[in-house]
Amino acid sequence: MGRIGVDIYPLQTGVPLARVESFGKFLGGSATNVAVAAARLGRSAAVVTRTGLDPFGDYCREALADFGVDARWATGVPGPPTPVTFCEIFPPDHFPLYFYRYPKAPDLELRADELDMDAIAGARVFWMTGTGLCAEPSRTATLAALAARHAAGGGTATVFDLDWRPMFWPDGDPGAARPHYRAALAHATVAVGNLAECRVATGAHTPRECADALLAAGVGLAVVKQGPDGVLAAHRDGTVAHVPPHPVEVVNGLGAGDAFGGALCHGLLAGWDPARTVRYANAAGAIVAGRLACSTAMPYPEEVEALLAGASREEQV
């Protein structure tokens, strides 16, 4: 449940937007990319979101179907256009994003009384994002969906992707966002975010302090992504896993986190332990970081397994 839109990415790297000569059009939006990533790994996935009543909205639904993602809850809303996002690509670590979500993105027009709460409560994994909390009516709808799952027993996992985007919040103030993040954490069983996002959600500083604060807020598994320093996964039972990154020649790092998310869902559904789940998710993210796009770049199981097998052989040598 969350963002959907169209990614307009330059087909030249190392070039500012003002001088880019050609672009590619791709399905985008964080929650949407996570669903695509999970579908690529063989899972049944759907997105709860809204588009504009425009050709880009039609494209989004067609692209979801092409990726094998159920589009029945990706509905059009009158008024705001389907958002588009541009980026600049300066490997290895500079990828500015330019969001065109004006005057308001349709995915923030999700309303609690229009949600299929039976489907949300019945899903084995439900994934929601911090962006969904940034404005009404999406904020109330997101919290209502979380409450419905909690009341129904929560399935296998309810995942809160912290997804901090300061440009979506009034004045970009973490302090204004934190109470809403805490309300969502009370109903989530898994929290995942990079270190900056975890700091926004908790007010803590170090990776371990952030993980402990997320666990104290109510989740059972806290996943703190640290880029070149790997991933920290802490479980409520006291288990802590530190997983190193996979070295990769970065082309575009923007889709890596969504690939990580889809693979995280895959591991949760498979019942893997946190260390195995995060190791697999790290590999999926590394593959996408070495590719240009996001949705179309999501890996298949054999690609992830091949990378993990290669890494295991290198460790043995």
Side-chain angles (χ1 to χ4, degrees):
M1 179 174 174
R3 292 203 309 277
I4 193 169
V6 181
D7 288 344
I8 309 294
Y9 282 4
L11 299 182
Q12 295 85 44
T13 62
V15 179
L17 278 179
R19 292 197 284 113
V20 171
E21 295 182 352
S22 57
F23 296 84
K25 173 169 65 75
F26 307 96
L27 181 65
S30 180
T32 297
N33 286 334
V34 169
V36 170
R40 277 277 172 91
L41 296 172
R43 297 298 177 176
S44 173
V47 183
V48 181
T49 189
R50 305 204 76 174
T51 71
L53 293 175
D54 53 26
F56 275 154
D58 295 338
Y59 162 74
C60 287
R61 280 179 289 277
E62 292 169 5
L64 285 171
D66 289 343
F67 283 119
V69 176
D70 194 328
R72 79 181 82 171
W73 296 292
T75 56
V77 58
T82 302
V84 296
T85 302
F86 291 85
C87 77
E88 293 177 309
I89 300 176
F90 294 99
D93 57 3
H94 187 54
F95 308 100
L97 278 168
Y98 302 90
F99 293 97
Y100 289 79
R101 294 167 59 86
Y102 311 115
K104 184 182 184 182
D107 54 66
L108 295 177
E109 289 295 331
L110 286 165
R111 298 179 182 275
D113 60 359
E114 297 174 347
L115 296 179
D116 186 341
M117 290 300 188
D118 290 338
I120 289 170
R124 290 181 62 197
V125 171
F126 177 64
W127 179 283
M128 47 73 60
T129 77
T131 295
L133 301 172
C134 75
E136 294 290 3
S138 174
R139 179 185 300 148
T140 294
T142 301
L143 293 174
L146 290 171
R149 275 188 67 78
H150 186 80
T156 299
T158 299
V159 185
F160 182 5
D161 174 8
L162 301 179
D163 185 40
W164 169 246
R165 305 286 180 174
M167 68 287 292
F168 298 164
W169 291 81
D171 301 321
D173 180 14
R178 196 165 292 140
H180 306 301
Y181 272 56
R182 290 192 181 281
L185 286 168
H187 291 308
T189 61
V190 179
V192 57
N194 61 37
L195 182 55
E197 292 169 332
C198 292
R199 287 169 173 166
V200 168
T202 65
H205 183 68
T206 69
R208 185 56 192 268
E209 289 169 346
C210 286
D212 289 343
L214 291 168
L215 294 174
V219 304
L221 175 65
V223 180
V224 184
K225 298 181 289 186
Q226 303 171 73
D229 293 323
V231 180
L232 168 67
H235 196 277
R236 184 180 294 164
D237 65 7
T239 303
V240 178
H242 297 269
V243 178
H246 284 277
V248 63
E249 185 174 344
V250 175
V251 174
N252 182 359
L254 293 175
D258 298 334
F260 184 102
L264 176 68
C265 292
H266 180 62
L268 292 169
L269 288 164
W272 297 341
D273 62 68
R276 180 180 179 186
T277 298
V278 171
R279 192 174 296 111
Y280 190 97
N282 246 358
I287 290 170
V288 174
R291 296 172 174 175
L292 173 65
C294 295
S295 54
T296 59
M298 297 302 168
Y300 292 95
E302 57 270 23
E303 295 178 293
V304 182
E305 290 155 7
L307 180 58
L308 289 170
S312 177
R313 286 193 294 270
E314 289 176 6
E315 290 173 2
Q316 291 171 6
V317 172

